[in-house]
């Protein structure tokens, strides 16, 4: 739980848990610097005049500029090794943490809001490619990035099914990442909340569910706030 009183749990955000090799060079440094910058842009409805001047942007190019940066991060996630992917995840987690502090689900208007990312389908596609072709670590990282991009991918039945199926993975790393993503999607999608509620109840009641996974499933109940019916069932 973060300092804002909201559940904020990324089950695998520690690099040591992934046993990732360190990558040298300015590429990683450039990625990590984007986190605070995205947070600043997220607090503004548009890029400021100072930013436009700094990057020599014409009027109306601010969204294109922000989208270009986001797509570059998605490309780095798609083409990089797992350490690069881990660094991209950390950048998006900074924005997710801010969202949990100040905004809830459908009220979110930050830099990763669907209305601010015209080419959101391309971003989601790049992350999905990593999940489809990667190893267990890559798939776990991809699931968590999809969670951070929940507002962009909330209407994709394919992504929703991908997350639900990943919860049944035999690999704990992937299961915990899928539960994290599921919690993020529940904040934005009533339909997904309805789908995942039954599975969460089954996991909590299953005797063979290990404590760590059980706790992840229990956290999902706190996200069931889209309707009184869902909230009541989750409470029961």
């Amino acid at each position: 739980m973060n300092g804002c009183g909201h559940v904020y749990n990324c089950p695998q955000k520690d690099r040591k848990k992934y046993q990732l090799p360190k990558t040298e060079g300015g590429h990683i440094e450039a990625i990590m610097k984007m986190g605070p910058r995205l947070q600043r842009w997220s607090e503004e409805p548009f890029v400021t005049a100072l930013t436009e001047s700094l990057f020599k942007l014409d009027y109306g190019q601010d969204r294109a500029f922000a989208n270009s940066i986001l797509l570059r991060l998605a490309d780095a996630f798609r083409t990089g090794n797992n350490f690069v992917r881990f660094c991209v995840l950390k950048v998006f987690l900074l924005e997710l943490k801010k969202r949990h502090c100040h905004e809830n689900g459908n009220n979110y208007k930050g830099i990763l809001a669907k209305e601010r990312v015209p080419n959101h389908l391309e971003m989601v596609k790049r992350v999905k490619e990593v999940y489809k072709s990667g190893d267990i670590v890559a798939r776990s990282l991809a699931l968590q990035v999809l969670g951070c991009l929940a507002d962009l991918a909330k209407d994709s039945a394919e992504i929703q099914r991908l997350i639900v199926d990943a919860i049944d993975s035999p690999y704990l790393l992937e299961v915990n990442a899928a539960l994290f993503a599921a919690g993020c999607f529940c904040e934005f999608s009533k339909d997904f909340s309805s789908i995942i509620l039954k599975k969460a109840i089954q996991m909590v009641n299953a005797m063979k569910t290990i404590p760590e996974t059980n706790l992840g499933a229990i956290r999902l109940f706190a996200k069931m706030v889209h309707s009184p019916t869902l909230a009541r069932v989750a409470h029961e």
Side-chain angles (χ1 to χ4, degrees):
M1 182 171 292
N2 64 15
C4 305
H6 294 271
V7 173
Y8 174 66
N9 179 55
C10 174
Q12 313 298 342
K13 63 181 178 180
D14 186 347
R15 183 175 69 88
K16 293 181 180 179
K17 291 184 179 180
Y18 283 112
Q19 298 180 341
L20 299 177
K22 188 174 181 180
T23 302
E24 302 293 341
H27 186 52
I28 296 299
E29 182 180 358
I31 290 174
M32 298 309 298
K33 284 182 177 180
M34 289 311 304
R37 292 178 183 177
L38 287 180
Q39 283 188 296
R40 289 197 297 271
W41 290 341
S42 189
E43 294 170 356
E44 304 165 354
F46 301 99
V47 176
T48 63
L50 178 61
T51 302
E52 287 183 341
S53 175
L54 178 63
F55 291 97
K56 297 181 173 57
L57 300 175
D58 294 330
Y59 178 77
Q61 285 186 315
D62 49 356
R63 288 196 177 189
F65 176 72
N67 271 264
S68 176
I69 296 298
L70 292 174
L71 274 179
R72 288 184 184 183
L73 286 172
D75 279 330
F77 187 84
R78 179 173 61 88
T79 61
N81 61 24
N82 283 339
F83 182 68
V84 172
R85 291 166 180 158
F86 171 77
C87 292
V88 173
L89 170 62
K90 288 187 69 175
V91 169
F92 288 136
L93 283 172
L94 285 175
E95 175 61 18
L96 179 66
K97 186 174 182 179
K98 186 195 78 67
R99 188 186 86 202
H100 283 170
C101 284
H102 302 294
E103 303 172 75
N104 294 309
N106 291 327
N107 295 323
Y108 175 63
K109 304 298 181 184
I111 194 72
L112 295 179
K114 188 175 182 179
E115 64 184 43
R116 295 183 65 174
V117 187
N119 50 1
H120 60 275
L121 293 178
E122 286 300 316
M123 283 196 66
V124 174
K125 178 181 177 181
R126 285 159 169 75
V127 179
K128 183 181 68 176
E129 287 179 13
V130 173
Y131 182 85
K132 294 291 187 179
S133 61
D135 54 24
I136 296 300
V137 172
R139 293 207 299 268
S140 299
L141 291 167
L143 284 165
Q144 291 176 85
V145 170
L146 287 172
C148 295
L149 305 181
D151 195 32
L152 308 184
K154 62 186 178 184
D155 297 322
S156 171
E158 180 183 8
I159 298 299
Q160 290 186 14
R161 174 52 55 186
L162 181 151
I163 293 171
V164 173
D165 289 346
I167 292 177
D168 293 325
S169 169
Y171 301 100
L172 179 61
L173 194 69
E174 188 172 2
V175 172
N176 288 340
L179 289 172
F180 169 79
C184 295
F185 270 67
C186 284
E187 295 179 9
F188 290 96
S189 173
K190 178 181 177 180
D191 291 339
F192 184 80
S193 296
S194 300
I195 294 171
I196 209 68
L197 177 58
K198 182 178 180 180
K199 180 171 285 290
I201 292 173
Q202 291 173 343
M203 293 180 69
V204 171
N205 291 331
M207 296 295 294
K208 64 179 182 179
T209 304
I210 65 173
E212 182 180 354
T213 302
N214 204 335
L215 182 60
I218 290 173
R219 287 194 179 102
L220 292 177
F221 296 139
K223 309 291 185 177
M224 309 293 177
V225 296
H226 286 281
S227 74
T229 301
L230 279 178
R232 177 179 56 80
V233 175
H235 176 72
E236 293 175 352

